Amino acid sequence: MDKIVHRKLSLNGINMHVAEIGEGPAVLLLHGFPELWYSWRHQMLYLSSKGYRTIAPDLRGYGDTDAPPSASSYTGFHIVGDLVALLDALALEQVFLVAHDWGALIAWWFCLFRPDRIKALVNTSVQFHPRNPSVSFIQGYRSLLGDDFYMCRFQEPGEAEEAIASAETRHVMKSLFSFRGGKPIIVPKDVGLKALFQAPSTLPSWLTEEDLNYYATKFENTGFTGGLNYYRAFDLTWELVAPWTGSRIQVPVKFIIGDQDITYHVPGVKDYIHNGGFKKDVPFLEEVVVLEGVAHFLNQEKPKEVSEHIYDFIKKF
C-alpha cells in the first residue's frame, strides 16, 4: 500500500485525486457508493504485480476530489467527462475499464459515449440499464418497487443526510457495507431512513478496523452529499442520454455479480442477465460470473478471486 502514489489533477473544472501503482497497460478502476479509490486497494496491488498500471480516482463528489454543490453536476456526462479528461491528462489513448456499483453505471455510459477509449470492460454488481424512452430510471424503480425503495428515498435533498447525521460515520459505513441477501432495500417512511444506518455489532469479515477508519475519516470530512447526488442526477442523465436510446455496448465485456448481492434480486434482473436481454444489449458480452455466497462489495469481500477474474479477462487483449 505504501508504494501507491497519490496526486491531484486539475481537469474538467474540478480537482481530482488519483491513486496509481504499476507500469504497463493501463487499468482504470471506478468505485461506487459509499466508497473511494481505496475500494480497489487489493486489485491495484494484484494487477500491478502482473504488469499493469492501475489507476483509481476518487470520483467527483468523493474523498479528496472536489464535490460541486449542485446535484445537476453529477450526471453520467459529467462523470464520463471527468474520466475522459483524466485519460487525456495521463496521455492514455485507451484503458481497460473495471468498475463496481455506481462506478459500473458510469462504466456502461463511458462505453456507450466513448468506446474508442476502452479496450475491454470488466463490470461488477450492476448490469447495463438500457434506456426506456417512456419511463425514467427512478420512475421505473418507483413503479417496480414503490416510493419506499431506497433510491427513491434518496431523491429529496437533505433527507438522507439528516438520517446519516443521526449516527456516527463509522456506524453508517459499517451498516452500508453489511447489506446482503435476497431482497431490495425498502425503507418505509414510518420507519425512517435512520433505520438504514443502524450498524450491526460486528464488522463484515472482509473489512478491518483500519479499513473502516479510512472510509470513516474521509466521509467525516466530506459528508455523503456528493455520493447521494449521483442518485439525484439519475433522471437528468436519463433525459440527456436520449440520443443513445437503443444503442448497444460495443466493447468486450465480462460481468461479475454475487448471488447475495441485493442488486441481483431486484425483480427482473436475473432474467435480464441470464435469458438473452443482457447479451442483446451487450453483444460482446463474453462471460457472466455469479459468485456463490458473495454479496455486493465483491471486490473487497473476495479480493483474490475478483482480481484473478479481472486478470484472466484483460490478459487476452
Side-chain angles (χ1 to χ4, degrees):
M1 289 286 286
D2 292 341
K3 294 181 180 179
I4 294 176
V5 176
H6 298 266
R7 55 175 159 164
K8 272 198 173 181
L9 298 172
S10 180
L11 47 85
N12 200 32
I14 64 170
N15 296 303
M16 174 175 277
H17 166 247
V18 181
E20 184 174 347
I21 187 172
E23 297 180 358
V27 183
L28 179 62
L29 302 128
L30 309 181
H31 68 79
F33 176 87
E35 300 177 270
L36 303 162
W37 76 270
Y38 188 81
S39 304
W40 295 108
R41 60 199 179 279
H42 305 294
Q43 286 73 35
M44 293 179 76
L45 297 177
Y46 180 92
L47 292 171
S48 63
S49 76
K50 296 292 188 181
Y52 290 89
R53 177 185 181 185
T54 61
I55 303 158
D58 284 336
L59 295 177
R60 173 182 291 237
Y62 285 93
D64 294 321
T65 292
D66 288 352
S70 172
S72 63
S73 297
Y74 291 82
T75 70
F77 290 89
H78 289 86
I79 315 303
V80 172
D82 295 343
L83 298 172
V84 170
L86 173 61
L87 299 194
D88 291 345
L90 298 177
L92 294 169
E93 285 297 318
Q94 283 194 317
V95 293
F96 293 109
L97 189 58
V98 179
H100 173 253
D101 186 77
W102 258 105
L105 282 168
I106 300 302
W108 293 123
W109 291 327
F110 198 160
C111 293
L112 206 59
F113 303 156
R114 293 300 304 271
D116 58 305
R117 307 303 294 266
I118 308 301
K119 292 180 184 177
L121 167 66
V122 179
N123 228 353
T124 71
S125 295
V126 179
Q127 78 288 350
F128 181 58
H129 283 56
R131 184 181 187 272
N132 182 336
S134 302
V135 182
S136 73
F137 295 130
I138 292 297
Q139 186 53 50
Y141 279 120
R142 285 190 195 279
S143 299
L144 186 66
L145 296 166
D147 292 338
D148 294 335
F149 181 55
Y150 81 99
M151 285 192 192
C152 303
R153 295 296 307 276
F154 283 177
Q155 294 303 305
E156 183 63 34
E159 185 177 355
E161 288 90 335
E162 182 181 351
I164 288 169
S166 70
E168 292 183 20
T169 306
R170 283 172 52 87
H171 291 170
V172 172
M173 302 305 302
K174 191 191 293 188
S175 175
L176 294 173
F177 281 138
S178 296
F179 282 116
R180 64 190 304 121
K183 57 184 180 180
I185 301 173
I186 306 296
V187 190
K189 286 185 171 58
D190 59 348
V191 172
L193 279 174
K194 291 180 182 180
L196 197 58
F197 308 113
Q198 293 178 356
S201 58
T202 58
L203 282 174
S205 61
W206 48 266
L207 196 69
T208 68
E209 289 288 345
E210 181 183 3
D211 297 332
L212 183 65
N213 288 337
Y214 186 89
Y215 284 114
T217 298
K218 293 298 182 182
F219 280 96
E220 281 173 0
N221 290 335
T222 64
F224 290 80
T225 298
L228 291 166
N229 279 340
Y230 284 63
Y231 297 93
R232 294 165 185 162
F234 205 4
D235 275 358
L236 180 55
T237 298
W238 175 83
E239 292 180 23
L240 297 174
V241 82
W244 286 267
T245 300
S247 294
R248 298 178 177 184
I249 301 297
Q250 300 287 350
V251 305
V253 174
K254 180 175 185 174
F255 183 70
I256 311 170
I257 193 167
D259 69 356
Q260 294 300 306
D261 191 328
I262 54 175
T263 63
Y264 192 50
H265 297 276
V266 171
V269 167
K270 288 182 187 177
D271 180 69
Y272 174 75
I273 290 174
H274 298 295
N275 292 329
F278 199 11
K279 181 67 174 177
K280 176 177 178 292
D281 294 327
V282 185
F284 298 103
L285 177 66
E286 296 188 15
E287 191 176 355
V288 172
V289 177
V290 180
L291 301 177
E292 292 186 7
V294 179
H296 185 63
F297 297 95
L298 73 180
N299 53 329
Q300 298 182 80
E301 183 176 347
K302 294 291 182 182
K304 185 174 185 292
E305 191 172 351
V306 170
S307 296
E308 289 171 348
H309 274 297
I310 295 167
Y311 175 65
D312 287 346
F313 188 63
I314 66 175
K315 73 180 182 182
K316 300 189 294 185
F317 298 94

